[in-house]
């Protein structure tokens, strides 16, 4: 499989590309990330944002975000169809998180959060549920040795594992586990999967670490091409077995693995159906994308005008048809990979397809 793409899959990819073009044309906003803080209670080796306990940029006041929501977004959308995700940093460092959640709930927006689980106690989880929590993602990067190595905190695994089981047991909300895979955790991934299944965890997303932020300083966190292909084989086999809903993350065109390791074909939805508000007010496609792709700022621009009339580089990817992509016959399906994988000079950092060894 790997790099080989059969005729039937090519036809399916062509259809998916046409549907994606229609989505680009409509650019209906379905998910809004709010990077509500850059503070974090961990100091992870692979952090793409280089978050710290005391961030250089202060948290955005909740009043500023709600003013934006009430005046520039709510008049144009059905709140029930727009998911708002609170991200960081670590969102649980915000003492007003429950108030924010309740404010979103009262405005009838479904909302969710991403957490490392370190501060997610049963009492706080209950308060978040009462504030209308709709979905939650917990980061868990393997067994204690592998997880604590990445997180650089000896208490991190126990806290994250406790949080993962706690949220999985709560059937009223959607939840999943996210695992960043590296060479340390890959050999035990099947064993780790079985532990998740035994704990009743229903949904699991796997990512490979990309070289941005602190991760760029540690090459050992990157999978080799052989390991990356092994990861695709593992996901494919686990999906066939059907005991846990597993998928590879949202990035990267994966050749013959397309349709086999995710529930959908690869598409970068940043700036198409996904937007983000950064902690400093910058408007972007998702919080992982570099600042040179920012489209405006809520403190000087109207968000809805920006969403409707900018995002050109997100929605027309002709500019990415350069370098290795210029001669790639699969560009029409990939469009140059995810926007978060371009550096400050708009050069592509990683081609997932080229990492497949067979």
């Amino acid at each position: 499989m790997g790099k080989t793409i059969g005729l039937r899959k090519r036809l399916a990819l062509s259809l998916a590309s046409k549907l994606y073009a229609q989505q680009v044309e409509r650019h209906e906003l379905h998910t809004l990330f709010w990077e509500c803080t850059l503070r974090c209670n961990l100091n992870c080796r692979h952090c793409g944002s280089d978050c710290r306990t005391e961030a250089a940029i202060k948290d955005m006041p909740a009043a500023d975000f709600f003013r934006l929501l009430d005046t520039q977004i709510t008049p144009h959308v059905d709140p029930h169809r727009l998911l708002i995700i609170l991200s960081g940093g670590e969102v649980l460092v915000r003492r007003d998180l429950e108030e924010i959640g309740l404010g979103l709930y009262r405005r009838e927006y479904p909302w969710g959060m991403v957490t490392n689980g370190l501060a997610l106690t049963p009492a706080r989880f209950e308060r978040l549920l009462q504030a209308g929590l709709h979905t939650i993602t917990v980061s868990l990067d393997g067994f204690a040795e592998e997880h604590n190595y990445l997180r650089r905190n000896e208490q991190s695994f126990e806290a994250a594992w406790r949080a993962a089981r706690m949220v999985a047991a709560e059937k009223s909300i959607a939840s999943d586990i996210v695992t960043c895979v590296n060479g340390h955790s890959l050999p035990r991934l099947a064993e780790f999967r079985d532990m998740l299944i035994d704990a009743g965890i229903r949904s699991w997303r796997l990512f490979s670490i990309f070289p941005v932020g602190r991760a760029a300083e540690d090459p050992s966190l990157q999978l080799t091409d052989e390991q990356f292909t092994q990861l695709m084989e593992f996901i494919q086999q686990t999906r066939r077995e059907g005991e846990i809903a597993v998928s590879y993350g949202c990035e990267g065109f994966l050749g013959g693995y397309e349709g086999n390791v995710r529930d959908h074909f690869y598409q970068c939805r940043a700036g198409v159906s996904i937007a983000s508000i950064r902690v400093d007010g910058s408007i972007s496609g998702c919080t992982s994308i570099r600042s040179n792709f920012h489209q405006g700022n809520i403190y000087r621009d109207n968000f809805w005008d920006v969403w409707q009339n900018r995002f050109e580089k997100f929605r027309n990817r002709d500019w990415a048809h350069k370098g290795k992509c210029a001669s790639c016959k699969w560009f029409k399906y990939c469009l140059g990979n995810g926007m978060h994988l371009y550096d400050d000079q708009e050069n592509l950092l990683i081609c997932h397809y080229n990492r497949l060894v067979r």
Side-chain angles (χ1 to χ4, degrees), residues 65-344:
F65 181 75
F66 282 121
R67 188 179 306 113
L68 162 76
L69 200 63
D70 292 340
T71 63
Q72 299 178 26
I73 297 179
T74 300
H76 304 284
V77 303
D78 176 357
H80 303 101
R81 300 183 63 185
L82 176 58
L83 176 65
I84 296 179
I85 303 291
L86 307 182
S87 68
E90 169 52 49
V91 297
L92 289 173
V93 303
R94 286 197 65 137
R95 295 181 179 180
D96 60 349
L97 189 60
E98 290 87 343
E99 297 173 25
I100 292 170
L102 191 59
L104 293 170
Y105 177 74
R106 288 173 174 168
R107 289 168 171 80
E108 301 187 4
Y109 283 96
W111 69 276
M113 56 181 281
V114 182
T115 178
N116 61 37
L118 189 63
L120 189 63
T121 63
R124 187 126 202 229
F125 184 47
E126 180 59 32
R127 295 198 299 271
L128 291 167
L129 290 171
Q130 292 175 1
L133 181 67
H134 185 80
T135 179
I136 184 169
T137 294
V138 177
S139 297
L140 187 65
D141 298 313
F143 292 107
E145 180 181 354
E146 295 85 17
H147 179 90
N148 291 343
Y149 173 78
L150 274 186
R151 302 290 167 170
R152 294 200 276 211
N153 184 300
E154 291 302 313
Q155 286 75 49
S156 180
F157 173 79
E158 287 301 328
W161 181 228
R162 181 172 58 248
R165 289 175 291 173
M166 182 167 57
V167 303
E170 179 54 58
K171 307 302 183 184
S172 67
I173 61 173
S175 65
D176 67 352
I177 303 302
V178 163
T179 299
C180 290
V181 182
N182 59 73
H184 299 284
S185 58
L186 184 63
R188 302 187 68 190
L189 209 53
E191 185 182 354
F192 182 64
R193 171 201 60 200
D194 294 343
M195 184 179 76
L196 297 181
I197 293 171
D198 289 343
I201 290 167
R202 307 181 297 276
S203 184
W204 185 29
R205 282 182 292 154
L206 298 169
F207 286 81
S208 48
I209 299 171
F210 52 93
V212 171
R214 287 192 208 119
E217 302 170 1
D218 188 352
S220 71
L221 298 179
Q222 309 300 315
L223 294 174
T224 66
D225 292 351
E226 291 76 12
Q227 290 172 330
F228 181 74
T229 305
Q230 182 182 342
L231 176 60
M232 295 303 108
E233 288 289 328
F234 170 81
I235 297 173
Q236 181 174 254
Q237 182 58 37
T238 299
R239 286 172 65 89
R240 286 172 179 165
E241 293 167 359
E243 295 188 68
I244 187 170
V246 63
S247 65
Y248 184 63
C250 57
E251 63 185 34
F253 175 71
L254 299 169
Y257 291 107
E258 284 296 322
N260 296 354
V261 297
R262 285 184 286 238
D263 295 336
H264 53 81
F265 290 130
Y266 165 74
Q267 294 169 345
C268 180
R269 298 186 180 274
V272 176
S273 62
I274 297 172
S276 69
I277 306 299
R278 304 297 299 266
V279 70
D280 64 352
S282 296
I283 302 168
S284 188
C286 80
T287 56
S288 296
I289 297 171
R290 280 175 167 74
S291 60
N292 52 313
F293 288 106
H294 289 173
Q295 299 299 299
N297 191 291
I298 66 168
Y299 293 112
R300 64 172 184 267
D301 301 303
N302 180 285
F303 173 86
W304 198 253
D305 179 69
V306 171
W307 177 253
Q308 290 297 331
N309 300 307
R310 300 189 193 177
F311 285 92
E312 175 65 19
K313 287 194 173 182
F314 291 77
R315 297 170 186 169
N316 182 346
R317 299 292 292 276
D318 289 347
W319 62 270
H321 199 218
K322 61 184 180 180
K324 292 182 179 179
C325 293
S327 59
C328 180
K329 62 182 177 181
W330 308 122
F331 181 84
K332 58 185 175 182
Y333 305 138
C334 175
L335 298 180
N337 214 326
M339 290 288 293
H340 67 292
L341 294 174
Y342 282 84
D343 64 17
D344 293 334

